[in-house]
Amino acid sequence: MQDPGTTAADRYLLVRSGEERLALPTAKVVRIVDGMEVHPLRGGAAVFVGLARFSGEPLGVVEASGRPVRPGPAVRRTVVVVRHRDRLLGITVDAVERLAASGEDLDGWPIPDMDRLAKAGGGDDGA
Amino acid sequence: MEHEGGNGGRPVGDRRMEPCHLGVWLWAAAALVGGALMAVGFDARTPLWVIMGVPVLALGGLALYVVSVYIPERRLVRRLREKVEAYESSCTDLQEALDALRRGDLVAARECEERLGQPFRQAMALAIRSLEGMVREIQKDSVEVAAVASNVHGTVSALASGSSQEAAAVIEITATMEELARSAAQIASGASGQAERAVRAQEAGEEGARAVEEAVEGVESVRERMDGIASRTEALDRRSREIFGVLGLINDIARETHILGLNAAIEASTAGEHGQRFNVVAQEVQRLADRSRESVEAIRTLLGDFASSLQETVQAAEEGRVAAGRVLDKARAAAASIAELRTALEHTATAAREISFSTQEQRTASDQAVATLREIREVAQRTAASLQEFTGAADRLDRLGLSIQLATQSFRIESDRSLKHLLMGWSEQLTGFSGHGEVVEGILRDLVEGNTFIEFAYLVDPGGSMVASVGNGTVEGGEAPVASVGSGRVFADRPWFQAVMREGGSVVTPPYRSLATGQECFTVAVPVRGEGGRLEGVLGVDVNVAGWTGI
């Protein structure tokens, strides 16, 4: 599940969401926002958490672990804002660990399918 | 005792008659001789009437003599002879009567008395009646004496036994009282010691009470301090919670700083060559954030440990406070108990002193009682000894009553209480049957069965051989008479047999111990006479004294 827009020499941001551990390419990371208020929105994909405000613009937020999201009240989460195919996408994580250096072994830290996440977050599928 | 007039009556009469007859004959001879001499001596001148007158006078005188002297004298002599014969008969009867009296056979004496002439008959009758009355009286009195003596003997024996038991009981009581006195002394000593121990315990109780009061004060102080520790610990807990809050804030700051550092590093990485130095700063910031988070975690861990310890301290302080409260309650209860104990010990000491005093008084009283009991014991022992002597006297009195009774039995009177009289009557039933042992045995069996006081009844022939005997099984402890016919036993050497054979009358032996029953008895024996007073045998009866006197 390698993002075609990245290479092995890229650096990655290691995050955790529940039991899931992920490596997000730093080239796609725009900002890490702690305590971002996410407003739930019904009718979206299963991993779609809701909408948030980033730089004055609405931002679709998805669950990084891929787990189905239960509807509920607005919550404050740590959100990693990424840019994928020129669109911003919020990915909720439980903790941001560190930046992985180039050439570091990322065994156990898979790179998520950004297209699928982007599609769930309401963005273009990039096709 | 030979009667002097037995055969001497007739010679006396003859001696008194011979001069009379001689005088008559001398007078007749003198008349005839005188007449003859006068016939020879007178001559013719002598008148015939003279010659004849002499014999005539002689004959006349003789006739006068015969008529006036001889015939009356002969009448007198005949009457005198009759008198003498009557006198001799009376003497014989008197002798027999006196002999019967000598044997004590008043019945035979009365038979002889009936043949006596006056005044012997009246005198003898009076004598026999008087003697018989006296014997009856003595017999009756002897029975009463025997009964009284028996009662006295029994009473005195009972008294002696009771007195001995009383003395033994007094000895036991004395020993018990002595033991009681010793026990009282021990109790007094023990009570005195108890009083001293109670006093010491009371003093120890006072010291204990003071110690408990100090302990109560100390425990109260501990509880107050525990309260202070608890309050201060709670304050510390509150402060630690505040520190936790601050740590949370620092942690948030560190996290934000961490994220800031990451964002800076991301920005630096996107800045290319220009972002290299910024990236270094971002990494430093990130490292600081990490160190801050690690420090916060370390502080949080330490503070958690501190909070746990503090919580344990709070809990321990609470438990200590509760325990101190319980100890305080118990100490107060112990103080109350010690106060009660002191009161009880005070009462105990007082009671022990009173017990000691009372037991000392009891000991004194016991000593006095022991002394009195010793005197009573001596009196009882003396009484028992006196009663023992009195028992001997009563025994002698009993023997004396029996002797008197046996003495009265030596007389035969017409009474059912006269054994000799009874045996004489029974002997008459045996007359003519001495040669028929079975018949004699039957008669003796009837006698034994009809008279429970008889131990043995037997008939012995004149040669001393047993004809038949019957024993009273009831007296011997059996149920039926035990008979024996012709056993061949010889009783010729027995005193009663020899006495009957010698005296010809009845005898009563002194009392002796019966070989059959082991009880006291005596033997009564009477002759059995047949036709013409011929001796056919001797009837003997062994009389049980207790059975006889009990009738």
Side-chain angles (χ1 to χ4, degrees):
Chain A
M1 193 170 68
Q2 185 73 35
D3 188 335
T6 63
T7 65
D10 290 341
R11 298 179 69 184
Y12 292 90
L13 178 65
L14 303 182
V15 300
R16 284 192 304 168
S17 176
E19 297 298 326
E20 293 290 331
R21 293 193 290 182
L22 298 171
L24 299 175
T26 55
K28 291 183 178 291
V29 176
V30 177
R31 186 68 54 84
I32 303 168
V33 181
D34 188 30
M36 178 179 279
E37 188 172 10
V38 181
H39 301 274
L41 193 65
R42 292 179 181 273
V47 297
F48 182 68
V49 180
L51 292 176
R53 186 179 295 275
F54 181 70
S55 299
E57 296 293 330
L59 177 68
V61 180
V62 298
E63 177 64 42
S65 64
R67 294 192 306 266
V69 178
R70 292 180 180 179
V75 294
R76 288 188 177 276
R77 299 291 301 274
T78 300
V79 177
V80 178
V81 182
V82 298
R83 183 182 299 278
H84 182 65
R85 300 183 189 278
D86 296 329
R87 293 182 67 90
L88 292 177
L89 176 66
I91 300 171
T92 60
V93 297
D94 290 334
V96 179
E97 294 294 331
R98 61 186 171 85
L99 286 174
S102 297
E104 188 176 343
D105 186 12
L106 295 178
D107 188 23
W109 297 88
I111 300 169
D113 184 357
M114 296 302 290
D115 289 333
R116 187 178 60 84
L117 291 176
K119 185 178 180 181
D124 190 1
D125 58 359
Chain B
M1 187 175 69
E2 202 64 31
H3 192 279
E4 289 184 355
N7 293 322
R10 192 171 55 198
V12 170
D14 290 344
R15 281 195 300 270
R16 293 180 65 180
M17 288 175 65
E18 278 177 358
C20 295
H21 294 299
L22 185 59
V24 171
W25 290 114
L26 285 173
W27 182 264
L32 291 174
V33 170
L37 289 174
M38 288 183 68
V40 173
F42 289 106
D43 53 16
R45 293 172 300 188
T46 306
L48 184 59
W49 61 273
V50 174
I51 298 172
M52 292 302 291
V54 172
V56 170
L57 286 173
L59 290 173
L62 181 59
L64 183 63
Y65 175 78
V66 168
V67 171
S68 62
V69 176
Y70 181 72
I71 292 173
E73 185 183 349
R74 287 298 298 268
R75 286 177 183 162
L76 182 63
V77 168
R78 190 165 54 247
R79 285 201 300 273
L80 186 61
R81 187 173 292 153
E82 289 174 357
K83 290 287 185 184
V84 167
E85 288 176 353
Y87 173 74
E88 288 177 345
S89 176
S90 294
C91 285
T92 302
D93 293 335
L94 185 61
Q95 185 181 11
E96 291 178 358
L98 290 173
D99 197 40
L101 283 178
R102 181 183 61 79
R103 293 195 312 270
D105 193 348
L106 299 186
V107 176
R110 186 178 292 280
E111 293 172 355
C112 295
E113 169 252 319
E114 291 174 352
R115 294 195 301 270
L116 287 175
Q118 295 296 350
F120 296 127
R121 182 177 181 179
Q122 186 179 3
M124 184 58 71
L126 286 173
I128 291 172
R129 193 159 50 245
S130 174
L131 188 57
E132 188 174 331
M134 191 166 60
V135 169
R136 285 179 190 276
E137 194 68 27
I138 292 172
Q139 210 168 45
K140 189 179 72 174
D141 292 344
S142 69
V143 171
E144 292 182 1
V145 167
V148 170
S150 179
N151 287 337
V152 169
H153 186 269
T155 305
V156 170
S157 297
L159 280 174
S161 174
S163 184
S164 298
Q165 292 177 356
E166 185 182 347
V170 168
I171 288 171
E172 288 183 3
I173 292 171
T174 305
T176 305
M177 285 300 295
E178 289 173 348
E179 183 65 27
L180 185 61
R182 283 195 293 272
S183 299
Q186 291 176 354
I187 291 170
S189 174
S192 178
Q194 184 65 26
E196 292 176 0
R197 283 191 290 273
V199 169
R200 286 200 296 273
Q202 196 176 3
E203 294 171 355
E206 291 174 355
E207 292 179 359
R210 283 195 295 274
V212 168
E213 287 175 0
E214 292 175 358
V216 168
E217 292 174 357
V219 171
E220 282 180 342
S221 174
V222 167
R223 194 174 69 164
E224 290 173 358
R225 292 185 180 183
M226 291 303 290
D227 289 341
I229 288 171
S231 62
R232 282 195 287 275
T233 306
E234 287 175 358
L236 282 175
D237 190 48
R238 284 194 302 273
R239 292 297 178 91
S240 66
R241 289 179 192 278
E242 291 173 4
I243 291 171
F244 266 116
V246 172
L247 284 176
L249 184 61
I250 293 171
N251 196 37
D252 290 343
I253 293 170
R255 190 176 66 248
E256 289 177 0
T257 304
H258 172 66
I259 290 172
L260 179 64
L262 286 172
N263 285 326
I266 290 168
E267 288 291 336
S269 64
T270 58
E273 291 290 332
H274 303 287
Q276 287 295 326
R277 295 176 65 183
F278 184 70
N279 188 36
V280 172
V281 174
Q283 287 179 352
E284 284 298 322
V285 170
Q286 196 175 355
R287 193 163 43 250
L288 282 174
D290 290 339
R291 286 180 60 188
S292 297
R293 286 202 303 172
E294 289 172 358
S295 298
V296 166
E297 286 303 317
I299 292 170
R300 192 192 297 273
T301 302
L302 291 174
L303 200 60
D305 294 341
F306 175 72
S308 298
S309 300
L310 202 61
Q311 195 62 35
E312 290 175 357
T313 304
V314 169
Q315 188 174 354
E318 179 62 22
E319 290 176 354
R321 195 179 65 82
V322 172
R326 284 201 297 269
V327 170
L328 189 60
D329 293 339
K330 289 184 177 178
R332 283 172 177 161
S337 300
I338 287 174
E340 292 180 0
L341 183 62
R342 286 171 59 194
T343 306
L345 285 171
E346 190 174 347
H347 291 162
T348 301
T350 305
R353 281 193 294 272
E354 290 176 354
I355 290 171
S356 176
F357 181 69
S358 300
T359 46
Q360 283 173 355
E361 287 184 341
Q362 182 183 354
R363 182 186 177 186
T364 306
S366 299
D367 290 341
Q368 291 175 353
V370 167
T372 306
L373 283 170
R374 283 176 180 158
E375 293 176 1
I376 292 173
R377 183 180 61 189
E378 292 176 0
V379 171
Q381 287 173 341
R382 285 200 299 271
T383 304
S386 301
L387 284 171
Q388 205 65 35
E389 294 178 0
F390 196 34
T391 303
D395 197 30
R396 287 194 295 276
L397 181 62
D398 195 14
R399 304 288 308 171
L400 182 61
L402 178 61
S403 298
I404 293 171
Q405 204 170 32
L406 291 179
T408 60
Q409 289 301 329
S410 63
F411 291 95
R412 178 195 170 197
I413 59 174
E414 288 184 358
S415 169
D416 292 338
R417 299 287 303 168
S418 174
L419 287 168
K420 281 185 176 180
H421 186 63
L422 290 175
L423 259 71
M424 287 302 288
W426 297 338
S427 69
E428 291 174 0
Q429 299 178 30
L430 295 168
T431 300
F433 295 116
S434 59
H436 304 81
E438 287 76 9
V439 177
V440 172
E441 184 260 330
I443 295 171
L444 295 178
R445 182 185 292 273
D446 293 340
L447 294 180
V448 169
E449 288 179 349
N451 299 278
T452 56
F453 55 85
I454 297 175
E455 287 190 9
F456 272 100
Y458 34 85
L459 180 67
V460 181
D461 65 16
S465 297
M466 173 75 74
V467 177
S469 68
V470 176
N472 191 342
T474 306
V475 176
E476 290 184 72
E479 294 179 352
V482 181
S484 172
V485 178
S487 65
R489 294 177 63 187
V490 177
F491 290 84
D493 58 340
R494 301 298 171 92
W496 49 269
F497 178 79
Q498 292 177 350
V500 171
M501 295 301 290
R502 184 175 62 251
E503 301 289 338
S506 55
V507 296
V508 176
T509 68
Y512 58 90
R513 188 69 61 184
S514 170
L515 293 175
T517 63
Q519 300 175 3
E520 211 165 30
C521 70
F522 59 92
T523 299
V524 182
V526 297
V528 178
R529 296 190 182 279
E531 292 291 333
R534 184 177 54 85
L535 186 65
E536 292 184 350
V538 176
L539 171 63
V541 168
D542 293 343
V543 178
N544 183 272
V545 171
W548 170 249
T549 55
I551 295 174

